[in-house]
């Protein structure tokens, strides 16, 4: 699913349970609607679009739900990426090689910001939920293009 499709799907799902008035949005934890992550993400995670449209120009907020052991290979974005850990442990490291010995464990409430084009990688310890804030459109560039699951042949 592409970011635009994901945003449209989650916006429709969340609209019935959100209180929205003139730019004011409230989403209670039990009303967050999770869907499959975009095809450029490794399989197994779920995504919820909280605000905006990650496929369009402008601010957006998304959440990622990552199972224990979920790993995101080295990648970068063309804009600043801001991540807040909501639950679990999100381990992050900088560099173009996935080296867990160079990662840092971030627990709930922790925040990190990666500048544009900064290669970084991550993995989850325990089920982990993160919130990502950035300016769209979202781009996700793997350091090694072979790590991009959207480029791999589909299994029949």
């Amino acid at each position: 699913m592409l970011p635009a499709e994901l945003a449209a799907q989650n916006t429709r799902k969340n609209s019935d349970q959100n209180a929205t008035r003139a730019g004011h949005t409230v989403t209670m934890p039990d009303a967050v609607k999770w869907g499959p992550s975009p095809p450029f993400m490794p399989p197994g995670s779920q995504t919820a679009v909280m605000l905006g449209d990650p496929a369009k120009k402008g601010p957006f907020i998304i959440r990622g739900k990552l199972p224990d052991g979920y790993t995101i290979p080295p990648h970068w974005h063309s804009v600043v990426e801001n991540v807040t850990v909501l639950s679990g442990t999100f381990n992050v490291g900088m560099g173009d090689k996935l080296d867990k010995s160079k990662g840092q464990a971030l627990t709930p409430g922790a925040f990190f910001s990666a500048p544009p084009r900064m290669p970084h990688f991550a993995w989850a310890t325990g089920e982990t939920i993160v919130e990502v804030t950035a300016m769209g459109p979202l781009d996700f560039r793997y350091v090694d293009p072979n790590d991009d699951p959207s480029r791999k042949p589909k299994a029949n």
Side-chain angles (χ1 to χ4, degrees), residues 10-29:
N10 285 328
T11 299
R12 283 192 301 274
K13 286 181 182 176
N14 284 337
S15 64
D16 292 342
Q17 297 178 357
N18 290 353
T20 303
R21 283 196 188 156
H24 178 82
T25 301
V26 173
T27 304
M28 300 306 289

Side-chain angles (χ1 to χ4, degrees), residues 100-155:
K100 291 186 176 182
S101 71
K102 295 184 179 175
Q104 183 173 3
L106 305 178
T107 55
F111 169 84
F112 88 91
S113 182
R117 301 192 183 326
M118 169 65 76
H120 57 284
F121 53 89
W123 70 97
T125 303
E127 183 179 82
T128 299
I129 297 177
V130 296
E131 186 165 88
V132 178
T133 304
M135 296 297 289
L138 172 63
D139 66 341
F140 205 96
R141 314 283 173 96
Y142 285 97
V143 171
D144 179 350
N146 292 321
D147 286 336
D148 183 347
S150 68
R151 297 173 48 118
K152 295 182 179 167
K154 303 279 187 225

Side-chain angles (χ1 to χ4, degrees), residues 48-130:
V49 176
M50 303 304 294
L51 187 70
D53 183 342
K56 294 182 180 174
K57 187 175 181 174
F60 69 86
I61 300 171
I62 58 175
R63 288 185 181 172
K65 185 187 291 187
L66 316 174
D68 182 36
Y70 187 81
T71 300
I72 305 169
H75 65 282
W76 55 270
H77 312 280
S78 61
V79 298
V80 174
E81 177 187 40
N82 300 300
V83 178
T84 302
V85 180
L86 301 181
S87 66
T89 302
F90 190 66
N91 304 275
V92 64
M94 300 298 161
D96 58 3
K97 301 284 185 216
L98 197 151
D99 181 350
K100 291 186 176 182
S101 71
K102 295 184 179 175
Q104 183 173 3
L106 305 178
T107 55
F111 169 84
F112 88 91
S113 182
R117 301 192 183 326
M118 169 65 76
H120 57 284
F121 53 89
W123 70 97
T125 303
E127 183 179 82
T128 299
I129 297 177
V130 296

